[in-house]
Amino acid sequence: MPEPALSTHELLDLDRRHVWHPYGPMPGRQEPLVVESASGVRLRLADGGGELVDGMSSWWSAIHGYNHPVLNDAARGQLDRMSHVMFGGLTHEPAVRLAKHLVDMSPEGLEHVFLADSGSVSVEVAVKMCLQYWRSLGRPEKHKLLTWRGGYHGDTWQPMSVCDPEGGMHELWSGALPRQVFAEAPPAAYEESYAEHLRDAIARHAHEVAAVIVEPVVQGAGGMRFHSPAYLRVLREACDAHGVLLVFDEIATGFGRTGELFAAGHAGVTPDVMCVGKALTGGYLTLAATLCTERVAHGISRGEVPVLAHGPTFMGNPLAAAVACASIELLLGQDWRTEVKRIEGGLSDGLAGLSGAPGVRDVRVLGAIGVVQLDHEIDMAAATRAAVAEGVWLRPFRDLVYTMPPFITNDADVARICRAVTAAAKAG
């Protein structure tokens, strides 16, 4: 017999006693909202609490919104066949089809796909690929990573080491993490002096650096900063000149979020390794992938240990892969560029009034991303309450109120999101 449904009071009591929420203390100090169901761009709250327009795409993943019939059908159909089977020594159509989709839509030259559980794990795999590549070529001294400040690449060990070590979320671990090489944070506009700074950093450390890893065009959870795509071309040229691999972390930027399928497209650059996740399954299931060139794959295969020794239990999960295929086909089967451009215009218009407002340092929009940066640390509880009062779910942090709405968000809801961002910025 199924257990009886919990009342909202019982659920919140159990949640407080047992559930550890992300980036929060235990027990939690803020009572979370209870979501009963979701459809389109709306989250329906329990006990008649109304609906909230989701301005976050569930941490940037639900690009098609919720309860989408195409993705629902893909999940149901795959459940009737098999939900999971190990990927070691076995294969199946959803994973193979997904790999082909990713190769076809990614920058030219990325030919091989390693499927992982989450974005952070895909970065771990990327780092392992790069270190093992140089070890296989007899260059084990090339074991460090170079990145620029202001980045965020995940919460597992190697990704934490390339997040900003000063003021970032993982500063606590700075004495224990591998010590990497950091360039200064990239300016928004192209500056030749900064390009020379990147070239010099790569040249000086090429003897010990296996790879440069960056978030292209948009730095996500490290500060929601935008930078010139021209810096990606500088990195590509400098890495080629000095024998260093180039990794793009497209976990947040992939699948159309910035106005290109992948942010690398703004620069016309192909990295040696690329990480994707978040929107890969349209927000339905956890799945990520690390893509690499033939050069990287064949270099590893020629080594003393000719295999990539990594194998998550749920690697290539058929259920997640089937939904990912459906999500990609849904995205590419529509005029997603026009939709993202429409959202970009709505965010630009709706947030323009905050430029120069008291307490506001900057307002910036790119694709389906809108960011308001304050000149002070935000009161997250007050800002969240203000957004909810406008009927919108946002998740401000540090000095930022930002939104990354689903691509199906209509003009009226984009305008509502902008009102909520404005209210949150003023309240925080």
Side-chain angles (χ1 to χ4, degrees):
M1 291 285 292
E3 292 186 3
L6 296 171
S7 70
T8 301
H9 175 77
E10 290 171 326
L11 190 151
L12 287 171
D13 179 61
L14 289 170
D15 183 278
R16 178 170 177 78
R17 283 193 281 146
H18 300 303
V19 180
W20 205 326
H21 286 267
Y23 307 112
M26 187 69 221
R29 300 192 185 105
Q30 301 295 329
E31 187 174 273
L33 300 177
V34 179
V35 179
E36 186 176 77
S37 63
S39 181
V41 301
R42 282 169 163 72
L43 309 176
R44 187 169 300 109
L45 303 182
D47 287 348
E51 294 180 334
L52 299 177
V53 173
D54 182 12
M56 302 302 294
S57 298
S58 279
W59 268 335
W60 325 340
S61 62
I63 56 174
H64 306 297
Y66 299 93
N67 207 16
H68 197 289
V70 171
L71 304 188
N72 289 357
D73 287 347
R76 290 192 192 100
Q78 186 58 43
L79 276 172
D80 288 339
R81 290 185 289 274
M82 59 180 171
S83 61
H84 183 60
V85 65
M86 65 182 291
F87 212 49
L90 302 173
T91 195
H92 48 80
E93 183 177 348
V96 173
R97 283 180 55 225
L98 175 57
K100 182 65 163 60
H101 277 315
L102 289 173
V103 168
D104 287 347
M105 69 190 298
S106 296
E108 187 71 24
L110 293 169
E111 297 290 334
H112 307 290
V113 180
F114 190 98
L115 297 169
D117 309 72
S118 69
S120 185
V121 174
S122 76
V123 175
E124 295 277 6
V125 172
V127 172
K128 186 177 286 189
M129 283 180 175
C130 295
L131 269 58
Q132 190 169 344
Y133 171 84
W134 290 112
R135 187 170 291 272
S136 295
L137 269 59
R139 300 287 307 277
E141 73 278 8
K142 288 172 71 68
H143 65 275
K144 288 192 174 183
L145 304 170
L146 189 151
T147 188
W148 47 38
R149 292 186 181 274
Y152 172 81
H153 298 275
D155 298 337
T156 54
W157 204 242
Q158 286 285 5
M160 285 200 298
S161 76
V162 284
C163 296
D164 198 317
E166 296 178 10
M169 284 189 286
H170 305 311
E171 186 176 5
L172 172 68
W173 302 105
S174 58
L177 291 168
R179 298 185 66 179
Q180 311 294 9
V181 180
F182 287 88
E184 294 304 312
Y190 182 81
E191 298 176 11
E192 181 56 33
S193 59
Y194 181 75
E196 192 56 37
H197 169 65
L198 290 178
R199 296 184 189 105
D200 177 66
I202 293 170
R204 284 189 294 110
H205 293 279
H207 65 284
E208 61 180 345
V209 165
V212 171
I213 177 169
V214 298
E215 300 157 282
V217 180
V218 177
Q219 292 181 296
M224 302 303 297
R225 302 176 189 87
F226 305 162
H227 57 262
S228 169
Y231 293 133
L232 306 183
R233 292 190 286 271
V234 171
L235 291 177
R236 180 71 278 175
E237 292 163 4
C239 286
D240 288 344
H242 296 286
V244 175
L245 297 175
L246 180 60
V247 181
F248 285 170
D249 176 350
E250 295 255 14
I251 293 162
T253 52
F255 306 103
R257 179 58 68 178
T258 68
E260 293 285 342
L261 268 178
F262 298 98
H266 290 286
V269 168
T270 297
D272 298 292
V273 181
M274 186 173 83
C275 302
V276 297
K278 287 194 181 292
L280 177 56
T281 68
Y284 268 55
L285 292 156
T286 180
L287 184 68
T290 308
L291 289 79
C292 72
T293 61
E294 286 194 4
R295 170 194 174 193
V296 172
H298 291 177
I300 292 170
S301 297
R302 291 196 301 268
E304 180 182 354
V305 179
V307 301
L308 184 65
H310 203 95
T313 299
F314 289 94
M315 180 178 177
N317 174 257
L319 186 57
V323 176
C325 287
S327 179
I328 290 171
E329 290 162 7
L330 184 61
L331 178 67
L332 300 183
Q334 60 185 308
D335 189 2
W336 63 269
R337 287 183 187 274
T338 296
E339 293 305 298
V340 171
K341 195 71 177 175
R342 175 184 58 78
I343 293 172
E344 182 179 57
L347 292 175
S348 295
D349 292 344
L351 300 178
L354 283 169
S355 293
V360 175
R361 177 175 293 167
D362 188 35
V363 177
R364 47 190 181 267
V365 174
L366 177 66
I369 308 171
V371 182
V372 176
Q373 186 170 9
L374 307 178
D375 62 8
H376 57 275
E377 191 87 5
I378 196 163
D379 182 335
M380 189 169 74
T384 301
R385 285 195 300 269
V388 169
E390 294 289 339
V392 175
W393 174 248
L394 298 173
R395 185 69 170 171
F397 74 104
R398 285 177 22 185
D399 58 348
L400 300 166
V401 185
Y402 75 100
T403 180
M404 298 173 83
F407 297 168
I408 65 168
T409 308
N410 64 32
D411 292 343
D413 284 337
V414 171
R416 175 179 283 197
I417 289 170
C418 291
R419 291 194 297 271
V421 171
T422 301
K426 292 179 177 178

